[in-house]
Amino acid sequence: MADQTAADRAADLRRELQKHNYHYYVLDAPIVSDAEYDLLFRELVELEAAHPELRSPDSPTHRVGGEPAEGFQRVSHPAPVLSLANAFGREGAESWFDRIRKLDERVESSAWVVEPKLDGLTVVLHYEAGLFTLGATRGDGSIGEDITANLRTVGSLPLRIPVAGNKIEAPPRLVVRGEAFIPVAEFAEMNRKLAEAGERTYVNPRNTASGALRQLDPSLTAARPIRLLCYGILDGDGDLPRTQWETLAYLRKLGFPVPAEAQHCADLEEALSVAESLEARRDALPFEVDGAVIKLDDLALADSLGVVGKDPRGALAYKFPAQEVATRLEDIATNVGRTGVITPYAVLEPVQVGGVTVRQATLHNFDFVAEKDIRIGDRVLVKRAGDVIPYVIGPVKEVRTGAEREYHPPDRCPSCDEPLERQGEEVALYCVNLSCPAQLVRVLEHFAGRSAMDIEGLGIKIAEQLVESGLVRDVADLYGLQADSLLELEGFAERKAEKLIRSIADSRARPLERLLIALGIPGVGEALAADLARHFRDLDELQDASTEGLEQIEGVGPILANEIAQWFSKKGNLALLEKLRAADVWPVSELRAPTEPQSLTGLTFVITGTLPGLNRAEAKAYIEARGGRVVGGVSKRTNYVVAGESPGSKLERAQTLGIKILDESGLRQMADGQ
Ligand code: IVH
């Protein structure tokens, strides 16, 4: 009878897990948290361990990860791409240790390596005679998909090993295992840019990375900030490392990125404390982790312990508590961005996630709310990872009571009440009122930001006060602020007011590229701002540039050139530029590369007499612009004398010293070849 119950339970668990797998992998909309899933999974693993006769070929315990998708070639892995058994907390890890110690007493005195367990997509990388020849997904562990073309776009993947300059020989054949992922900060930045451009944002780094690597068009992969970290050798020829610690060192030396957080530990106690310290630091890590991996250092010993299902006995995933929880969605509110884009966010019943109370979470965009059918009053799954803003994964529809309310996007701006608009094909709604206070606050915040004008002390709170009080109606108004008027604002004493005025004044000295970022011209980020400042002397020159002129700059295509030109043609922007000029915020580029060929560099000239086409000042400027130097008197160090009509004694002196003499056309010939 007991076995009958176990069989029923196993069947239930399998069905349940299959359903969750489908929601997670196929629909990208999990209905339970990772922790709840793991709980069910573990129960099934234990049940099958106690009742081996219950194991069925369709059990999810045999199949971890996705099946090879159509459209990619299938690749047989040279060795099984194994998974890891999970343990929660110290006790789980200690009982694993006890089990394997009983199998081989050498475990007792073995060393360990602890690594972060990266939450990404496993990749298998093949190298033949040092060349990257094939890259595959894990698939079902024995057959994966050939995603070589996509992996080639990943910057940190070595296309040839060893990396130049390292004194080490590549083995004839090497198959490396690693994890591809999108770092949390890059993910947040990518989403911020997409949202600002009114485009669809991505839900989480893991699925974005996995989706990008499984695109049929590699240029789509290239557009995502995918990183790679390698941690193992799946197969290979030659004299390969015998311990995990040496493997990491060896991979690093060949040029593979390896996890910098990996540590060598003398015993299990140390390994556990390293795992715990990784857990404590998880929010500070640049990538999402869902645990630490504890590995036996001695690879032959680890191998000899064998495998249970797909999990090698010699390594363990020490799982951290999930950073996902379910809570009630109390309301959906909206934010107004710098460009007027309106984005929805969730107002949540406060909930603890990984030691932090979460009250709000992003809902990406209105289409996301509609597609996931998120309703006010729903129980929603919320995830927090790293320092990025928590986000809503989706609703738990199974627990709806019927009292939930459908949500409709607003049709007026929550700040200025003007009607909202859609722009072209974009998914986002915009407030197009140029004097919308909420937008102005964001504009000020951006203008004063670190990578822009870097105005210390001008954060969002003060930006709000300045806008609300009417003291600032555009960014140029900042430069006319008086300490007296600031004193009227709450929280401003003399010192604080003077300090702010001083940091605003100091910002006049920021170079042109910073002002270009600060102005928020569409598409102009740090790299392009620097390129523009290399090409143009000041905002006047940039404003006068034609779209063709802009397209001369690397990375500027017709669309971007057009956007920049459009920005400089708008009346409101031109008026703002004039106000900035009047306020003496008009930097001259320090980065500008010389526009003339530097054909006269290192040469010294003396000018005498009247030249036909250039007056004295113009002739001097002409020579200097091409790198030459103009001096008053002829000496042995003079290289050329440029002589016009009625030259003075300088010409004679030059002739006696044997210095070459040029007329204006000779000078032009030499300088510009004309
Ligand atoms: S070792 C036999 N090390 O975690 C070795 N795996 O749940 C098995 N993962 O599919 C893997 N970081 O993709 C290992 N430092 C790390 C890892 C790691 C992430 C992933 C791996 C695997 C999953 C197992």
Side-chain angles (χ1 to χ4, degrees), residues 275-293:
E276 281 162 357
S277 90
L278 269 176
E279 181 176 346
R281 286 191 293 140
R282 77 188 288 191
D283 281 350
L285 296 176
F287 35 70
E288 285 199 355
V289 290
D290 57 353
V293 187

Side-chain angles (χ1 to χ4, degrees), residues 376-377 400-405:
I376 295 167
R400 277 194 179 147
T401 61
E404 297 77 14
R405 281 185 293 124

Side-chain angles (χ1 to χ4, degrees), residues 71-77 121-128 131-138 144-155 157-159 212-219 221-222 226 228:
F72 290 106
Q73 294 285 334
R74 292 154 69 92
V75 179
S76 284
H77 297 305
L121 181 82
T122 302
V123 291
V124 177
L125 313 169
H126 295 239
Y127 290 80
E128 310 257 352
L131 259 186
F132 173 60
T133 52
L134 174 68
T137 62
R138 177 174 178 215
E145 303 146 322
D146 178 347
I147 54 163
T148 314
N150 292 345
L151 282 169
R152 279 188 203 284
T153 71
V154 174
L157 181 144
L159 295 174
L213 280 169
R214 297 164 81 237
Q215 289 286 345
L216 290 172
D217 174 2
S219 68
T221 317
I226 296 176
L228 174 76

Side-chain angles (χ1 to χ4, degrees), residues 189-205:
E189 176 62 10
M190 180 187 98
N191 260 351
R192 194 187 59 73
K193 282 192 187 140
L194 289 170
E196 223 167 74
E199 285 174 41
R200 197 179 271 275
T201 50
Y202 287 88
V203 176
N204 67 55

Side-chain angles (χ1 to χ4, degrees), residues 83-84 115-118 122 138 177 179 231 293 295 312:
S83 183
L84 289 168
E115 297 164 12
K117 185 169 182 300
L118 303 148
T122 302
R138 177 174 178 215
R177 178 173 181 173
E179 200 83 357
Y231 50 73
V293 187
K295 301 177 175 179

Side-chain angles (χ1 to χ4, degrees), residues 432-443:
V432 292
N433 171 16
L434 283 178
S435 46
C436 168
Q439 270 179 66
L440 181 55
V441 168
R442 296 286 175 186
V443 166

